[in-house]
Structure formats: C-alpha cells, structure tokens
Amino acid sequence: MIHQRSFSILCISVCVATMIAGCHAVTPLTAQEAEGKHLYEVRCAHCHEENDLALKKVPPDLHGVFKSSALPSGAPATDAGVRHVVLAGKGMMPSFNGRFDDTQMAALLAYLHTGLR
C-alpha cells in the first residue's frame, strides 16, 4: 500500500512539474534571430545593456521595444523606424550606417521582435 501511494505521489509530482515547465518553455530562436542576437550583443548591448562606456545619459532599454507605438526616440516603433534610427543615429546615438548590411539589419530586427530573449 505504501509503495502504491509513493508511486502515485511521484506520478502526480512529475505531471505537475511537466505542466509547469511547459508553461515557461521558451521557443528557440530561429537562425535569423540567433544572428540578430549575436549582432545585438557585439554592437548594441555594451550601451543598451551594460552601459560600459559610462555614458552620462543612459541609452534606453530595448527589451520589448516593439510593444509600444513609438521608440524611446519618438520615432515610430516599426521596422522602418528602427532601421532609420540605427542607420542615421538620433540624439546621443551614433549612426551605424555602413556597419549593417541588409541581411544583418533584418536579423537584428528579427531579434528585437523577440523582446530580447
């Protein structure tokens, strides 16, 4: 009787743990999103995450940047708006024109659409 009860409790625990894990499962990044993540980490994160340049005006957090209608700069929160700000610069942000080709920009945009996961 004790063994059957222990087995039942174990089965219930495994089922609950599986359901909880399923609720928090994160969809893996696509190859394009993974490339965008790499580009973000090497070209964007040092200002927008760590601010390791010790900038007096801290750049905006880009997590969920597409969740609002406007970017922190006031530009529309669209692919075209982000592309323009990245390539032309805005305020304290320098221009990255010539540093991203079209494929890289598409990858960066795809990663930004993930909310930076």
Side-chain angles (χ1 to χ4, degrees), residues 39 82-83 86-87 100-110:
L39 291 166
V82 171
R83 178 185 305 271
V86 171
L87 297 179
F100 290 96
D101 63 27
D102 289 341
T103 302
Q104 291 172 322
M105 181 57 70
L108 178 63
L109 290 168

Side-chain angles (χ1 to χ4, degrees), residues 55-111:
L55 301 171
K56 291 181 182 179
K57 183 176 180 191
V58 178
D61 182 350
L62 299 179
H63 289 82
V65 71
F66 285 110
K67 288 186 178 181
S68 71
S69 61
L71 300 174
S73 67
T78 62
D79 287 358
V82 171
R83 178 185 305 271
H84 177 75
V85 171
V86 171
L87 297 179
K90 180 99 176 170
M92 298 285 297
M93 183 170 160
S95 166
F96 282 81
N97 193 24
R99 297 184 197 169
F100 290 96
D101 63 27
D102 289 341
T103 302
Q104 291 172 322
M105 181 57 70
L108 178 63
L109 290 168
Y111 179 60

Side-chain angles (χ1 to χ4, degrees), residues 9-25:
I9 291 171
L10 176 63
C11 287
I12 291 170
S13 298
V14 168
C15 288
V16 169
T18 301
M19 287 188 300
I20 290 172
C23 290
H24 298 290

Side-chain angles (χ1 to χ4, degrees), residues 41 44-55 59:
E41 288 172 347
C44 309
H46 66 94
C47 288
H48 288 279
E49 297 280 331
E50 293 94 21
N51 188 21
D52 59 7
L53 298 177
L55 301 171

